[in-house]
Amino acid sequence: MRIARFSAGEDPKYAVIEGEAGAEIAAVIDGDPLYRPVQPTGERLPLTDLRLLAPIIPRSKVIGVGRNYAEHAAELGNEVPAEPLIFLKPNTSVIGPRDGIVYPAETSDLHYEGELAVVIGRICRHVPRERAAEVIFGYTCANDVTARDLQKTDGQWARAKGFDTFCPIGPWIETELDASDLALTTTVAGEPRQSGRTSQMIHDIPSLVRYVSSFMTLLPGDLILTGTPAGVGPMRPGEEVSVTIEGIGTLTNPVIAHG
């Protein structure tokens, strides 16, 4: 089931996206699907008439995982961590499809990082690996935008990864998906830059849910960004960045100059 959040000139609503690519229909549902069963209202709208929003705005937090693909760690000259390397992005960094990624004046080396995002569906703590699927609502595409120069100079990553617009997600949440071996690609201005598979993760999704929930409570709507494959690099104002994940879809955002 593909669940999207959209605007049609009024308050945001949720819908189940049906149909084939290019002819999708949004079957509007009542309320927030994280907190109540999916209940169609009977309203059906062409997807082309709607503006897709970030499929979820985390009430609490976005959890990032660094260096979770060996080739990506190597390309930046880093060691592979023995345990997941965790950082946080503020929920104010989240934007949706087609929203602009603002290139801040504070950086001169802004990078894309295409990633699979896990959407948490229920309050949980100390989740064992074998029960991780019980707390996952679904999956979406993400771009863990990073000011690489600030990441190096600051030492910790809050500023480098936390600017407004630095966490595009979308286009929707896929709730019925085996995410263990999905193709992930990123293009910049139409040129292929990243190509990997989720099976290449050092720490797989059940391991990440277990590890993160061992020291913090996860809440409905929290996101876990699972890391990026090799091929990261710069993006510039005027370019479009697209992250495509098999079984989910494509998230596209333009890069725009600050101010």
Side-chain angles (χ1 to χ4, degrees), residues 21-214:
E24 296 99 337
I25 295 295
V28 181
I29 59 178
D30 186 31
D32 186 335
L34 269 175
Y35 294 96
R36 61 189 303 175
V38 170
Q39 299 177 350
T41 65
E43 185 179 13
R44 297 173 63 84
L45 304 168
L47 187 62
T48 52
D49 292 349
L50 309 177
R51 177 192 169 209
L52 287 179
L53 307 174
I56 195 160
I57 299 294
R59 278 74 165 173
S60 172
K61 53 194 172 291
V62 179
I63 302 115
V65 181
R67 305 171 191 168
N68 199 28
Y69 288 74
E71 290 185 3
H72 168 60
E75 73 180 344
L76 297 182
N78 295 312
E79 297 292 328
V80 173
E83 293 186 320
L85 178 58
I86 302 299
F87 60 91
L88 298 175
K89 295 170 81 87
N91 58 8
T92 49
S93 66
V94 172
I95 57 174
R98 307 302 313 179
D99 290 339
I101 300 169
V102 177
Y103 200 119
E106 292 85 349
T107 182
S108 59
D109 193 18
L110 192 66
H111 282 209
Y112 57 84
E113 293 190 8
E115 310 201 4
L116 174 72
V118 177
V119 182
I120 298 299
R122 52 184 277 195
I123 299 174
C124 59
R125 180 81 197 276
H126 296 299
V127 181
R129 272 185 53 90
E130 60 271 17
R131 299 191 65 183
E134 298 176 24
V135 306
I136 294 173
F137 181 74
Y139 304 90
T140 192
C141 306
N143 186 350
D144 177 22
V145 178
T146 304
R148 195 68 71 196
D149 47 358
L150 301 185
Q151 186 182 28
K152 295 175 181 177
T153 59
D154 288 0
Q156 51 77 33
W157 302 353
R159 184 166 68 129
K161 291 177 175 285
F163 279 86
D164 289 357
T165 77
F166 273 24
C167 189
I169 60 172
W172 38 64
I173 299 168
E174 175 56 68
T175 63
E176 299 171 8
L177 186 67
D178 178 356
S180 62
D181 185 28
L182 303 176
L184 187 159
T185 60
T186 303
T187 64
V188 178
E191 294 294 324
R193 300 291 178 84
Q194 287 185 289
S195 179
R197 301 195 70 86
T198 57
S199 56
Q200 297 169 326
M201 290 181 192
I202 297 166
H203 305 286
D204 64 10
I205 292 166
S207 297
L208 294 176
V209 172
R210 182 207 63 79
Y211 184 78
V212 174
S213 69
S214 73

